[in-house]
Amino acid sequence: MEIGGEYLEILGSSILMTDYLEYSNALFREGLLDGQFIQLQMLRDDSNPDFVVEVVTLFFEDSQRILNELSKTLDEQNVDFKKIDANVHQLKGSSSSIGAQRVRNACIAFRSFCDAQDVESYGFCFFVLFPDQMCLRCLQQVKQEYLLVKNKLEALLRLEQQIVAAGGVVPTLNDVS
Amino acid sequence: MGCEMESDQPEDLDVVLTSMWPEDMNEAGRQFNVERPGGDQDMLEEVTINKEPNIVDFQRLMELTNYSDKGNWQLAKLVKNWEFKQANVVRLLKEELDQLSKQQQEVELKKLEILEEHRFEKDGYGGDKRPISILDENLRYLYQDAPKRRKDDVVSQGEIVAIDAEYDSVVYWKQRAMHLEKLLEASLQREQVLVEKLQESIESLERQSTPVEELSQVLKRADNFLHFVLQNAPVVIGHQDKDMRYRFIFNHFPTLGEQDIIGKTDVEIFTGAGVKESQDFKKEVLERGLPAKREITFETELFGSKTFLIYVEPVFSKAGETIGVNYMGMEVTDQVLFHPSTFRVITQSKKLVASSLTTLCCVMTPMQVRKREKMAKLREEIAVQKAKETELNKTIHITEETMRAKQMLATMSHEIRSPLSGVVSMTEILATTNLDKEQRQLLKVMLSSGDLVLQLINDILDLSKVESGVMKLEAAKFRPREVVKHVLQTAAASLQKLLTLEGHVAEDVPIEVIGDVLRIRQILTNLISNAIKFTHEGKVGINLYVVPEPSDVNEHGSEKKSRDQSTLSANTNGNGHADNSPSCEESELNDTSCDQNGDQMDQDKESRMKAEERIVWIRCDVYDTGIGIPEHAMSTLFKKYMQVGADTARKYGGTGLGLAICKQLVELMGGYLTVSSVEQHGSTFTFVLPYKVSSASDSDDTEELSDTYQLGDDGYDDDLNSGVFLFPPRTLGTLFSSQINGRIPKLLPNSYGNNCNDLLEDSPLPCSNKEGTSEEGSDSSGGAMETASSVPDIDNIRPVAQQEQETASECSSTNRTGVEKSETKQHKILLVEDNKINIMVAKSMTKQLGYAIDVVSNGAEAVKALQRSSYHLILMDVCMPVMDGLQATRLIRSFEETGSWDEAVKAGVEMETTSHQSCSTSQVEETRKRVPIVAMTANTVSESADECYANGMDSFVSKPITLQSLKQCLQRYLV
């Protein structure tokens, strides 16, 4: 029994590991994550085994705060595009550090739009009729990407924890790229 | 005698007649300005009066005559005229009657005389009898009122009674009595005739006494005459009631029947352009109650395209209300095209028409011929004006279109740039992951094409910025030598050919000048990359030297030729050198620079002392030994999107915007850009720009600054002054070494305690350091190799050979890392970053690499942190709140140069004065050395490498940072 249980455990963890690999592969394939995420995983060592979880958790908290702030700013009467730009810049920075590249791309698009509001920097006319509407749409996009990657990352981290709990080793994703 | 009298009679008649017909008789006719037809009567007979064109609603005419003032007036005038004529006739008749009765009296008298004195007077009777003329019945015709004289109709003739009988005999008397009786009889007869005539006259007078009849006859006559006059005139005359319905129309070219016109409005009759306008115009006149003229062009199916000059006048009722309009239109379509002679004919006919129209019951107010001619002239002028206007409008339209297209392009470019930069940065990130050779190759292609498109878009945006005048130039201090060096470095890093890159800055070029360094760097980079692109062997270089202020910037065209020749000759000299081995040239150049270094500094200082703030014109030649530019292409060289030829475009690619931008930028900065070239031998692009040289107060700084350098680091001073840079071909390793060496010595001069590290100054070494060169050469190249893999940050395109070398260098570096690691623990690193996640990641990474870091969250804090303690390396985020990385770097550099944080305080950083003072003395040595600052850029265009360099940063890593890139960076600076 014991042997069987151990066997099952090992089997279980190996199944979990394959799942994990497949799942993370899918995340990379769909472009939800990029190489930067692997960088994070590489930073995880014995002295700091929960590094990825910590960073990702911090990312979630920070992103949620930024998104809330963005929604708030866009609700205001006179939209402060500079504020929006700064916030989106933040989100872009953290998402690219995490490797959440679709969030990052959405942020780039968002920022390029904010840039365009800065009419003075370009002499030609670049007018968008409803800048706040456009911003809302951009924000919507960013939120969507964020929620998507959040769900996936949470699932991935859960898998990791399960693997660790099952006594397995979280496989490195080096070969994914 | 009797004979005489006979012959005299007709003359008498004439005389009498003229006196009988009053002079003013004609005036009746003249009132209508019609000449008395008289002998022209047959002219009228020839005229076949076409009744058709004249379509009349007679009832309306009646109404008009009854109800309108004008009609009344017209009628009254006619009546007056008729009355006048009648009176005349009556007068004439009366006169005749008087004459007749006078004659009769005379006859009676004579008769009595005869009776009384028949015996004694034989002759003399009838001798003074006056002739009598009777008016012609044709009097009715008003315009033919010259009476017909009926000669000898009833003329009493003095007959000489010839009596054959013997005087005083019975027979004689008998005969005489008989004769007298006969005479009497004749006289009586005559009298009767006269009475009859009189009767007749009176009867005829009575017969034609109804004025209406007479009037209508007159009207008819006038009408006919008008018809005659108008029969060929391009004239339309009409009357419309207040509902704009036609009540009368005269049109010589009728295409419509009466039923089609009368009772209808313009709009109902025909359609097309101008119809509505004319109707509205008529309505306007009707409403305003004032006559008006207007030219209206019709474009109708009915008669095609025709222009009419339309005169419309309102018709008022007695009560003063408008009850309709009279209008007259004259076709004036092709007037402008007429030959003068035709025009004269037309004018004449117009005159005729005009005059005849004035007779037309005053339908029109008198139009003066002169006015008409003036109008024609004016119209001609207007036509010319219009043509000009159309041309102008066309041009304006085209210009507008072009502007719009440009804006469109710019907007599009801007739109494209963001996603594209996303793609490019994605690709860059992808390139950092583990890839096999083939994938890497593909990726490289992706990167280079992506970069090309990005460059194109940036070019377009730049161009539109310059063109729209939005481009703002900055005035900041910069070091021309540094700029030349950086540009050459960057070019060398991406060089894929075996070319020598060289730079020479003349001694008289000031160390620091003021200008827009970013733009100047852009121009230089553009010209250099252009030169490299079209050069396959030999060299590409930059020459910088001071020139006297050009008398006129525009004159450069004429000067160009001579200058061309000189530069060309210089070029060929250069080529001669290029044939020699690079080392040979290097030493040669070294010598010159060494010799003059010291002197130059002094001169520089002196001259700076003299002029508080002077302008220096610096000429920059960018020369190459490339394929050259054919003469025919010279003119279009600086035009946008122009390349020398389709072949060139295909072979060399490029946007064709680079030179246009360079030219515009140079001109924007008040200089000029010229080119000279010999095909197959090379080209030289020359731009001359004015720069301000720091003012006296600033020059203190620079002096101090240069002192500082001299105190702290001779090598750096040399770097400042050495004006020769050489990037020889062949060994790509040295290429990198030169790039890096420029920095390493700067970073840690004191740690090594001497200037040996300077040996690898990108360019020739100053004399003092010369000995060190050879020994350190190998060492430094090793160091260079370690860092070689960081080159992709600067440029993503690397030759394969380079890549191999890179891997080799990695191997070699691993040996060293162990050693370094032990050392590095003591290194203090400052991370300036505002993003928590980034901080976390970076912290974790540095930790893994064995370094501890301090973290601050913005530029201001970084400055404060630097004031508290010193660091060996600063990792600086570019985009941060409160104070960005660029400004912080500038402030730190300013402190390093001046030893004071004044600039920082000025910028609003709250400095801790106490600590500053306490540590200033102790730390001055340490803090004054140049801290390497590495930018962390997000790979966007706004955070460009150029800008980082320009603000005093030493290098950059792109974000998100990877373990590898961070490792390389730390290894490079924390040896």
Side-chain angles (χ1 to χ4, degrees), chain B residues 600-641:
Chain B
Q600 199 266 315
M601 273 299 288
D602 293 336
Q603 279 168 6
D604 228 303
K605 263 185 242 167
E606 272 170 39
S607 59
R608 232 180 294 155
M609 296 296 270
K610 266 184 229 161
E612 290 266 299
E613 183 183 280
R614 63 190 172 94
I615 300 282
V616 64
W617 287 77
I618 297 175
R619 176 173 166 175
C620 180
D621 294 328
V622 176
Y623 55 87
D624 63 61
T625 55
I627 58 167
I629 304 155
E631 202 155 316
H632 66 84
M634 287 283 198
S635 56
T636 54
L637 201 63
F638 295 107
K639 290 206 175 129
K640 276 165 269 174
Y641 308 104

Side-chain angles (χ1 to χ4, degrees), chain B residues 452-668:
Chain B
L452 187 70
V453 181
L454 260 184
Q455 188 54 47
L456 168 61
I457 287 166
N458 285 335
D459 283 356
I460 292 170
L461 287 176
D462 271 348
L463 208 59
S464 61
K465 265 195 211 174
V466 176
E467 282 182 353
S468 57
V470 183
M471 177 78 81
K472 281 180 199 136
L473 293 174
E474 281 184 15
K477 268 194 263 179
F478 72 95
R479 301 188 170 122
R481 284 170 188 79
E482 241 175 55
V483 171
V484 171
K485 193 178 84 183
H486 274 141
V487 168
L488 287 173
Q489 264 175 14
T490 316
S494 60
L495 195 63
Q496 295 177 62
K497 297 169 180 174
L498 288 178
L499 291 177
T500 302
L501 300 186
E502 55 186 32
H504 182 265
V505 183
E507 288 78 28
D508 54 350
V509 173
I511 289 170
E512 275 193 325
V513 294
I514 295 168
D516 191 332
V517 64
L518 269 186
R519 299 298 162 208
I520 290 160
R521 195 191 291 267
Q522 190 182 356
I523 295 163
L524 262 179
T525 310
N526 246 328
L527 292 178
I528 278 285
S529 54
N530 210 45
I532 289 172
K533 193 154 77 176
F534 294 106
T535 307
H536 304 302
E537 54 183 345
K539 57 183 181 177
V540 170
I542 301 172
N543 263 333
L544 220 64
Y545 49 97
V546 173
V547 291
E549 185 183 348
S551 51
D552 181 9
V553 174
N554 295 329
E555 263 178 37
H556 66 267
S558 56
E559 289 174 53
K560 210 175 104 185
K561 264 226 166 123
S562 59
R563 199 177 285 160
D564 289 356
Q565 283 158 1
S566 66
T567 41
L568 273 179
S569 62
N571 263 359
T572 42
N573 285 344
N575 284 346
H577 285 302
D579 293 339
N580 303 335
S581 69
S583 59
C584 216
E585 189 171 274
E586 195 175 339
S587 60
E588 198 180 321
L589 288 166
N590 280 348
D591 288 334
T592 53
S593 71
C594 293
D595 294 342
Q596 289 158 357
N597 252 349
D599 295 349
Q600 199 266 315
M601 273 299 288
D602 293 336
Q603 279 168 6
D604 228 303
K605 263 185 242 167
E606 272 170 39
S607 59
R608 232 180 294 155
M609 296 296 270
K610 266 184 229 161
E612 290 266 299
E613 183 183 280
R614 63 190 172 94
I615 300 282
V616 64
W617 287 77
I618 297 175
R619 176 173 166 175
C620 180
D621 294 328
V622 176
Y623 55 87
D624 63 61
T625 55
I627 58 167
I629 304 155
E631 202 155 316
H632 66 84
M634 287 283 198
S635 56
T636 54
L637 201 63
F638 295 107
K639 290 206 175 129
K640 276 165 269 174
Y641 308 104
M642 278 292 191
Q643 287 190 325
V644 169
D647 271 359
T648 323
R650 216 177 305 121
K651 199 165 161 193
Y652 295 100
T655 62
L657 276 174
L659 285 178
I661 292 169
C662 285
K663 194 175 167 65
Q664 294 212 11
L665 282 176
V666 167
E667 278 163 11
L668 195 68

Side-chain angles (χ1 to χ4, degrees), chain A residues 4-23:
Chain A
E6 207 172 290
Y7 173 77
L8 273 179
E9 220 168 64
I10 291 165
L11 187 72
S13 71
S14 73
I15 289 170
L16 278 173
M17 277 160 82
T18 354
D19 277 359
Y20 179 82
L21 280 177
E22 267 177 25
Y23 192 74

Side-chain angles (χ1 to χ4, degrees), chain B residues 958-970:
Chain B
S958 48
K959 285 208 285 187
I961 50 167
T962 60
L963 205 55
Q964 205 186 8
S965 64
L966 188 66
K967 194 166 116 190
Q968 280 161 6
C969 170
L970 296 184

Side-chain angles (χ1 to χ4, degrees), chain B residues 214-232:
Chain B
E214 174 97 0
L215 268 179
S216 54
Q217 294 239 359
V218 168
L219 275 173
K220 203 174 157 196
R221 285 284 168 187
D223 200 40
N224 287 344
F225 206 96
L226 269 175
H227 276 302
F228 159 69
V229 172
L230 294 176
Q231 63 179 323
N232 281 319

Side-chain angles (χ1 to χ4, degrees), chain B residues 20-33:
Chain B
M20 275 173 70
W21 289 93
E23 279 299 313
D24 54 358
M25 183 64 202
N26 282 341
E27 275 168 24
R30 275 194 205 123
Q31 231 169 338
F32 301 101
N33 204 15

Side-chain angles (χ1 to χ4, degrees), chain B residues 145-206:
Chain B
D145 41 8
K148 282 271 171 207
R149 287 167 294 177
R150 226 195 282 170
K151 287 181 192 166
D152 309 326
D153 196 3
V154 186
V155 180
S156 60
Q157 288 164 346
E159 286 169 34
I160 297 155
V161 184
I163 298 167
D164 304 328
E166 209 179 307
Y167 185 72
D168 230 9
S169 65
V170 176
V171 181
Y172 168 82
W173 285 115
K174 226 180 189 174
Q175 271 181 347
R176 179 144 179 111
M178 267 169 66
H179 181 67
L180 281 174
E181 223 161 286
K182 258 186 219 163
L183 273 179
L184 188 64
E185 221 169 285
S187 179
L188 281 174
Q189 226 170 10
R190 233 168 35 226
E191 199 184 321
Q192 202 162 358
V193 168
L194 277 173
V195 167
E196 270 169 31
K197 283 268 177 196
L198 193 63
Q199 204 65 44
E200 211 178 293
S201 279
I202 286 164
E203 268 172 33
S204 78
L205 210 68
E206 275 170 358

Side-chain angles (χ1 to χ4, degrees), chain B residues 417 421 454 458 938-945 947:
Chain B
R417 189 167 73 167
S421 59
L454 260 184
N458 285 335
N939 250 322
T940 54
V941 184
S942 59
E943 300 174 1
S944 69
E947 211 168 359

